[in-house]
Structures are given as structure tokens and as C-alpha cells.
């Protein structure tokens, strides 16, 4: 009997060399006994990259910065949550040759938060107004939580808040905000700018939980200061693992080895950074 060729998955983004998705996905497929390979692809021309999905063919693609929104018009179908969020981070190339877009970032955020707390009826102050903040607002609303948006640039923050029907506060008013959980959905504090924090430490004590979507470093300055102020700190590793796990479910229909995925990414981050 002729053996079928290995499945190929890819990451489209620019840059992609720093990404831990190939390590995490390849470890998962090996453990699952799936003959597959997941490769990083630095994309210069998005249209050409999309054509390559059908030509190669690729069975699935992860999409990262700066293409999560730009990719949407090229797809045959985009699911309802991606449409509402306005971003796609996952493409399924189905057996009819159609390209379907999904967003698993919101699932990553929600599943990770749910490991620490119940979202329903709690208030979440979401810092940022980019794709990750949009996924967070959507996910919190899905689970019956109460999001509010805080952003440096008021116009962008107001637009997001208006679209989802939630309140907006400018960053300058953070002191007056009351919420149980703070979510940092900005890149402030991400390596190599480890010494930066998006918020002054004096205001952190009022939150019970502080989540940083950043996972490199594992403990950002924001999380260190949050812990010192008595908050429970949640880093972005769990979000990363859960968004990738959902991609594997979409592409293979099988349950991914989440703990192994967490372990390999954690080991790599510790090796690289001594975290
Ligand atoms: P983005 O679309 O570029 O949005 C960035 C947001 O951060 C904007 O609202 C921007 O505010 C704000 N911002 C940037 N610099 C700032 C500063 N110095 N002070 C205050 N606000 C600032 O980024 P994104 O794609 O949403 O990603 C945000 C973060 O989430 C990144 O660190 C990314 O690594 C992380 N992430 C993690 C995962 C995971 O799996 N753990 C997945 C996706 C993303 P303005 O509107 O004022 O410019």
C-alpha cells in the first residue's frame, strides 16, 4: 500500500525566526503519532504565500504579525468569531480545497484564564486596542465577563469599545478604574525591552489577578511588580499553548498533548533566558 505523504503546516508572518510555534507543533505531532511537519515561513508577498497553500499543498497555516487582518479577504470563508474580532490566526485548507479562517487567540486567553479563575460576572481591565485586546474583549464577553478597554491612543481604544459595546478609559485614568483582573495586551515589557512596564506599580495592588499576554520573558516586569503587590500573576505561556492546541484540533480533529506542549515551550524559554 502506498504511504500518504506527510502533512505540512506552516506559520506565515514577518518576522518568524523567533517563534516557538514550530517547536511546539512539531513536538505535538510526534507525540500524537501524526506524520507532519510545521515550518516557519517569512512572508513578503501575502497573495503569493496564499497561492502556495493550494499549490504545495499545506493542510493548515498559523498567521501572525502583521497579517492577521490582511489575510481575511483572501480566504473562502471566515468563521463568525474571527469576523467579530477582525483577525484570523488560523487557516484550514479543507479536503474540498477551500481556505477557512479561524481565530484561536480568544480561546487561548479564555482557557488560560479559566485555569485560574471563573470569568463570569468578573470585571476585566484590558490594556491595549490591537488584535490581542480585541480577542480578549470578545472572549471575556463570550464567557459572561465584563470587559473594559484602556488604551494609550484614545481613538483606537474608543473604536474597539464602541464595536463591542463596552466602556473605554484613557490610560491617564487607570487610577480610577476598578476591576478584578488586569490583562496586558500591549507588547510593553516583551524581550528585549524587559525593563519596561505599561503601568505604574502603585496601581497594581487593586487587581486580584494580573495577566500578561507576553510569554517572553515568562515573568515580565509587570508580573513581578504585580506579585510584589499581592496579585496572582498569569503569564502568556498558557495562552500560547491553548491557542496552538486549538489550531491542532481544527487541523487534525484530534486532541493535542497540552502538557507536553507547555513543557517544551517552557524548557526552551528557560534555556534561552534563564527565566
Ligand atoms: P498590536 O496589534 O500591535 O497592538 C498593540 C497595542 O499596544 C496597541 O493598542 C498599542 O496602543 C499598545 N501599545 C504599544 N506600545 C505601547 C506603549 N508604549 N504604551 C502603551 N500602549 C502601547 O499588538 P497585538 O498583536 O495585539 O499583540 C499584543 C501583545 O500580545 C504582544 O506582546 C504579543 O506578543 C502578545 N500576544 C501573545 C500571544 C500568546 O499566545 N501569548 C498571542 C498573540 C499576541 P496604541 O493604540 O496607542 O498604539
Amino acid at each position: 500500500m502506498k504511504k500518504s505523504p506527510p502533512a505540512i503546516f506552516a506559520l506565515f508572518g514577518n518576522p518568524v525566526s523567533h517563534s516557538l510555534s514550530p517547536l511546539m507543533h512539531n513536538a505535538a505531532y510526534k507525540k500524537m503519532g501524526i506524520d507532519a511537519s510545521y515550518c516557519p515561513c517569512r512572508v513578503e508577498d501575502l497573495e503569493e504565500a496564499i497561492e502556495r497553500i493550494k499549490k504545495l499543498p499545506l493542510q493548515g497555516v498559523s498567521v501572525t504579525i502583521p497579517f492577521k487582518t490582511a489575510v481575511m479577504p483572501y480566504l473562502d470563508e471566515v468563521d463568525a468569531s474571527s469576523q467579530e474580532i477582525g483577525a484570523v490566526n488560523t487557516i484550514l485548507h479543507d479536503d474540498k480545497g477551500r481556505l477557512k479562517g479561524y481565530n484561536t487567540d480568544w480561546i487561548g486567553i479564555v482557557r488560560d484564564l479559566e485555569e485560574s479563575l471563573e470569568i463570569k460576572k468578573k470585571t476585566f481591565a484590558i490594556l491595549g486596542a490591537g488584535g490581542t485586546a480585541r480577542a480578549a474583549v470578545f472572549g471575556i464577553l463570550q464567557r459572561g465577563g465584563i470587559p473594559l478597554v484602556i488604551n494609550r491612543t484614545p481613538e483606537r481604544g474608543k473604536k474597539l469599545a464602541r464595536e463591542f459595546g463596552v466602556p473605554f478609559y484613557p490610560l491617564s485614568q487607570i487610577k480610577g478604574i476598578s476591576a478584578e483582573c488586569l490583562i496586558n495586551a500591549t507588547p510593553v515589557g516583551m524581550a528585549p525591552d524587559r525593563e519596561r512596564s505599561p503601568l505604574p506599580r502603585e496601581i497594581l495592588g487593586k487587581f486580584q489577578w494580573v495577566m500578561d499576554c507576553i510569554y517572553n520573558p515568562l515573568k515580565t516586569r509587570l508580573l513581578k511588580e504585580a506579585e510584589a503587590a499581592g496579585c496572582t500573576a498569569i503569564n502568556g505561556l498558557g495562552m500560547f499553548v491553548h491557542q496552538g492546541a486549538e489550531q491542532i484540533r481544527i487541523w487534525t480533529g484530534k486532541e493535542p498533548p497540552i502538557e507536553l506542549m507547555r513543557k517544551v515551550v517552557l524548557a526552551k524559554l528557560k534555556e534561552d533566558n534563564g527565566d
Side-chain angles (χ1 to χ4, degrees):
M1 206 172 76
K2 205 176 146 204
K3 202 171 165 254
S4 53
I8 314 172
F9 302 106
L11 168 68
F12 284 2
N14 195 348
V16 287
S17 55
H18 66 288
S19 173
L20 297 181
S21 290
L23 173 80
M24 180 172 76
H25 278 262
N26 285 320
Y29 301 130
K30 192 169 171 204
K31 175 82 178 168
M32 293 165 82
I34 294 175
D35 188 11
S37 169
Y38 180 108
C39 317
C41 252
R42 191 165 71 97
V43 167
E44 301 288 350
D45 181 334
L46 182 60
E47 195 169 353
E48 186 194 70
I50 298 287
E51 280 167 17
R52 244 184 289 154
I53 301 177
K54 294 196 177 183
K55 269 192 209 146
L56 273 171
L58 298 170
Q59 272 83 344
V61 173
S62 308
V63 183
T64 188
I65 290 170
F67 301 117
K68 287 187 184 182
T69 300
V71 79
M72 295 174 77
Y74 294 104
L75 305 177
D76 297 310
E77 207 179 293
V78 170
D79 81 343
S81 30
S82 310
Q83 264 168 27
E84 224 175 301
I85 295 165
V88 156
N89 76 330
T90 308
I91 302 171
L92 168 70
H93 184 197
D94 75 7
D95 46 16
K96 295 185 188 74
R98 290 170 60 79
L99 301 182
K100 293 185 183 170
Y102 301 86
N103 187 304
T104 69
D105 282 334
W106 77 270
I107 294 173
I109 294 171
V110 159
R111 294 235 166 99
D112 190 43
L113 282 172
E114 284 171 342
E115 287 180 6
S116 301
L117 56 104
E118 196 189 347
I119 295 174
K120 198 169 179 180
K121 295 200 177 136
K122 287 196 181 68
T123 304
F124 294 79
I126 295 162
L127 185 60
T132 308
R134 295 181 69 88
V137 171
F138 177 85
I140 303 291
L141 285 171
Q142 286 293 307
R143 291 294 193 268
I146 306 151
L148 50 92
V149 174
I150 303 156
N151 196 47
R152 177 181 62 178
T153 308
E155 297 70 40
R156 209 165 162 214
K158 276 185 199 159
K159 182 172 178 291
L160 191 174
R162 206 170 35 240
E163 278 177 47
F164 285 93
V166 303
F168 167 77
Y169 298 90
L171 197 48
S172 55
Q173 281 178 28
I174 186 98
K175 276 192 185 143
I177 285 163
S178 154
E180 275 126 326
C181 178
L182 171 83
I183 300 180
N184 177 34
T186 80
V188 183
M190 191 161 72
D193 285 330
R194 295 156 167 261
E195 290 314 310
R196 295 179 68 208
S197 171
L199 294 176
R201 69 172 76 199
E202 309 79 68
I203 60 113
L204 299 176
K206 65 179 165 180
F207 302 109
Q208 196 173 341
W209 294 271
V210 173
M211 176 184 186
D212 202 327
C213 294
I214 295 169
Y215 61 86
N216 187 9
L218 282 166
K219 207 169 265 186
T220 55
R221 178 169 172 184
L222 173 70
L223 292 188
K224 283 183 194 158
E225 293 181 348
E227 274 185 346
C231 319
T232 301
I234 305 171
N235 64 35
L237 175 64
M239 172 188 173
F240 180 65
V241 170
H242 283 294
Q243 62 78 31
E246 190 62 18
Q247 294 184 322
I248 295 176
R249 287 188 198 96
I250 290 169
W251 293 336
T252 69
K254 299 200 170 102
E255 193 50 33
I258 291 183
E259 284 320 309
L260 172 96
M261 292 161 70
R262 199 191 302 266
K263 213 169 110 190
V264 294
V265 175
L266 189 59
K268 178 70 178 149
L269 286 168
K270 285 189 168 168
E271 180 192 311
D272 289 352
N273 298 323
D275 276 318

